[in-house]
Amino acid sequence: MPMETTTMSKRPDSRSPRERLLETANRLFYAEGIHTVGIDRILKEAGVAKASLYKTFGNKEGLVKAYLEGRHQRQVARIQAALDRAGSDPRERLLAIFDAQATLFAERDFRGCPFAAAAAEERTGGEIEVMAAGYRNYPREVLRELAEAAGATDPGTLARQLHLVYDGALHAARMDHDPEVAVLARATGAVLVDAALAH
């Protein structure tokens, strides 16, 4: 009896042009860089016409802005999830940012800070650089609020110290390909937090 053969037809992509463009831009910009990836490649891989890009984002800069906004939203969600897991303990909430980093570093496609990378590629003072810098500073703002809530004598200084550890861990995890850096960063942060709250 002859073996029956079946062919599976490829299902059409039901996502909107905007979703396809953002997914493709997110993947390519993060992996290869904003200037390295041309708009024609994004259109080809997303399967979207150029007219849809212009209608949705205006131009490549508009797509870059949307990409960075998406990365920021992911960062906010990751940090908020870590804070939720930390509960109400002020010390644990301050250290939760390093737990969020551990989640990030464990991602298969982790390639460092997208905001620092975008800022490095842009001209000084350009809109994208300013936007990326604002998103990059988000963790410090969160840390300052948490330090104030924990009763730190100088919450601004503690926030800056923890942010330096956070930034250093991002760089080390990327360059050394070592997600376990987050554990050391948390331990270092704990020393700073305990010193700042011992009053």
Side-chain angles (χ1 to χ4, degrees), residues 52-182:
S52 293
L53 168 73
Y54 293 137
K55 180 180 179 181
T56 307
F57 299 106
N59 51 26
K60 182 179 179 180
E61 185 176 73
L63 181 59
V64 172
K65 290 177 182 177
Y67 152 70
L68 290 175
E69 173 62 26
R71 281 281 166 177
H72 178 58
Q73 289 171 358
R74 287 174 61 178
Q75 179 189 44
V76 171
R78 191 166 49 245
I79 291 174
Q80 187 57 55
L83 287 171
D84 291 343
R85 289 192 299 271
S88 60
D89 182 82
R91 179 181 183 274
E92 287 304 303
R93 288 178 67 79
L94 270 166
L95 297 175
I97 196 157
F98 301 109
D99 299 329
Q101 273 197 325
T103 301
L104 173 64
F105 296 168
E107 291 181 358
R108 191 163 55 93
D109 67 343
F110 173 69
R111 293 184 63 83
C113 177
F115 312 118
E121 287 192 67
E122 287 300 311
R123 61 183 176 83
T124 302
E127 190 174 355
I128 296 297
E129 185 198 48
V130 171
M131 183 180 184
Y135 290 151
R136 197 199 76 80
N137 284 330
Y138 166 75
R140 186 187 298 173
E141 295 167 8
V142 171
L143 286 167
R144 182 181 176 87
E145 291 175 6
L146 292 171
E148 288 177 352
T153 305
D154 188 348
T157 295
L158 177 58
R160 291 187 66 190
Q161 290 171 333
L162 293 174
H163 196 211
L164 281 171
V165 177
Y166 179 91
D167 277 353
L170 269 171
H171 183 69
R174 168 69 179 101
M175 298 301 293
D176 299 337
H177 306 285
D178 182 9
E180 294 303 314
V181 164

